[in-house]
Amino acid sequence: MLSCKEITKLVSKSLDRPLPPSKRIIVWMHLQMCRLCSAFRRDQILLKERIAQEVSRESGKEMPQEVTLSAAAKQRITKAMDSQGS
Amino acid sequence: MERSELTKADQNRDPATWVDTYGDALFRYALSRLRKPESAEEVVQQTFLAGIQHRHQFSGAGSQQGWLMGILKRKIIDFVRQRDRSAQPAARAETLDTRDSLDSFFDSSGKWKQNVRETLLEPLDSVDRQEFWPIFHACLKSLPERQSSAFMLREMEDLDSGEICKELEISASNLWVLLHRARLSLANCMKRHWLQEKA
């Protein structure tokens, strides 16, 4: 029997690539009985989904338009571009 | 939507107009990833400089802003990697020490510790949408540098594990440990924040 510590490691790996079938069965059986590890899995799937949604919306778009480069930064960047550009 | 609004002139603007035309959009994107205005400014600058240098490579297919955005994404990854490399050697060693790194969550027999169980059972989706991102970013920031770098490159920049190992110069098994630890800590941190705010 694998401990919760070991099972969560496998759950974590399964988020990035499918587990081999033998491991998948072990994890599945454990999750049937263990609501703590099930909670861990549920959270991680949600976290992944929310992040993916956000990233696909091209982050930054949700930021208010008032968030802008400061005048000082614009000046500095323009200067750096001038000195490289020509 | 945005693409159709672009006129021909927008497709290939003179670099002298880039800062005013694209600066704010690139800055907001960079800020959403790096959180610190100074860091965001720095990568925006690097992006424009690289853009000037490689200007002739812009094919004119797609928008110029999209092209610059592509450069920006690469610059953000470079920035995260460099920040990671310059982290204190002690901090690097500590977070790569894999042996007992899960002790705050599991007891010696590998069971969930009593004091994390209650938080664990609180569903993460009870954190409402408005609150989700501020809490997420605060918690990401509270992770050890290596964990947050690994997590960011994996989940936000969507690099595959081989690329992340290369960027961070770590082994695949170290990467798994970092990601796993980051996931445990993030979810726990977010829910604790949320429970606190609710109370």
Side-chain angles (χ1 to χ4, degrees):
Chain A
M1 275 287 280
L2 290 178
S3 66
C4 293
K5 185 174 174 178
E6 297 307 319
I7 291 291
T8 52
K9 280 184 196 166
L10 291 174
V11 169
S12 198
K13 281 191 182 175
S14 77
L15 296 168
D16 292 299
R17 58 171 174 207
L19 294 173
S22 58
K23 295 249 172 74
R24 215 178 306 162
I25 292 168
I26 293 170
V27 170
W28 183 80
M29 282 172 61
H30 183 102
L31 293 179
Q32 295 305 301
M33 311 176 302
C34 177
R35 47 190 207 119
L36 295 163
C37 289
S38 299
F40 170 76
R41 180 167 181 273
R42 181 200 59 206
D43 288 344
Q44 295 308 320
I45 290 173
L46 181 91
L47 192 57
K48 215 176 168 64
E49 281 172 359
R50 286 240 178 137
I51 292 171
Q53 278 167 10
E54 191 66 16
V55 167
S56 71
R57 274 202 281 146
E58 274 307 62
S59 307
K61 289 224 174 104
E62 80 288 1
M63 272 192 201
Q65 293 294 310
E66 299 86 75
V67 179
T68 56
L69 270 173
S70 67
K74 282 189 175 164
Q75 226 171 31
R76 206 167 51 239
I77 293 172
T78 307
K79 219 170 135 188
M81 289 168 74
D82 285 347
S83 61
Q84 184 197 282
S86 44
Chain B
M1 182 189 85
E2 237 183 44
R3 193 161 300 169
S4 63
E5 286 168 9
L6 290 171
T7 64
K8 185 92 184 156
D10 290 324
Q11 294 291 327
N12 207 348
R13 287 177 182 269
D14 188 284
T17 68
W18 285 358
V19 174
D20 286 328
T21 313
Y22 308 124
D24 293 337
L26 296 189
F27 176 70
R28 281 193 283 272
Y29 183 91
L31 190 62
S32 77
R33 299 305 171 85
L34 300 173
R35 310 312 294 176
K36 283 190 193 151
E38 316 86 82
S39 311
E41 286 170 10
E42 193 181 324
V43 292
V44 169
Q45 175 167 329
Q46 288 169 3
T47 300
F48 286 142
L49 293 180
I52 293 180
Q53 214 174 346
H54 302 289
R55 189 165 39 173
H56 57 280
Q57 289 171 9
F58 174 57
S59 62
S63 70
Q64 197 174 32
Q65 177 165 341
W67 178 70
L68 286 167
M69 198 61 98
I71 300 178
L72 177 65
K73 287 179 183 171
R74 183 62 236 176
K75 293 293 171 195
I76 290 173
I77 293 169
D78 288 345
F79 187 90
V80 171
R81 185 194 55 204
Q82 273 159 20
R83 183 176 65 185
D84 184 82
R85 293 231 173 115
S86 62
Q88 293 297 312
R92 293 188 62 156
E94 187 192 335
T95 44
L96 281 175
D97 183 0
T98 59
R99 278 162 304 171
D100 298 309
S101 58
L102 299 173
D103 278 2
S104 45
F105 294 97
F106 299 97
D107 66 21
S108 53
S109 65
K111 290 202 185 79
W112 288 95
K113 277 193 170 169
Q114 214 48 254
N115 61 346
V116 297
R117 291 185 179 199
E118 197 189 330
T119 318
L120 186 65
L121 291 172
E122 176 78 11
L124 189 61
D125 56 13
S126 65
V127 178
D128 77 36
R129 264 213 108 86
Q130 285 288 330
E131 298 289 335
F132 193 89
W133 289 104
I135 295 178
F136 170 78
H137 283 296
C139 288
L140 189 63
K141 226 170 162 175
S142 74
L143 296 180
E145 200 96 304
R146 307 229 82 192
Q147 284 179 35
S148 67
S149 300
F151 189 84
M152 231 184 103
L153 294 179
R154 180 72 197 90
E155 302 294 351
M156 301 175 77
E157 304 309 326
D158 204 26
L159 296 190
D160 70 30
S161 48
E163 291 171 298
I164 303 174
C165 289
K166 219 167 71 186
E167 298 290 351
L168 302 182
E169 295 180 325
I170 54 177
S171 69
S173 63
N174 275 327
L175 174 63
W176 295 122
V177 174
L178 287 173
L179 283 175
H180 182 49
R181 173 118 192 117
R183 286 173 173 141
L184 278 164
S185 304
L186 263 178
N188 184 56
C189 170
M190 290 182 73
K191 288 194 270 190
R192 271 190 300 121
H193 260 79
W194 177 244
L195 291 172
Q196 249 169 34
E197 270 174 36
K198 248 188 354 181

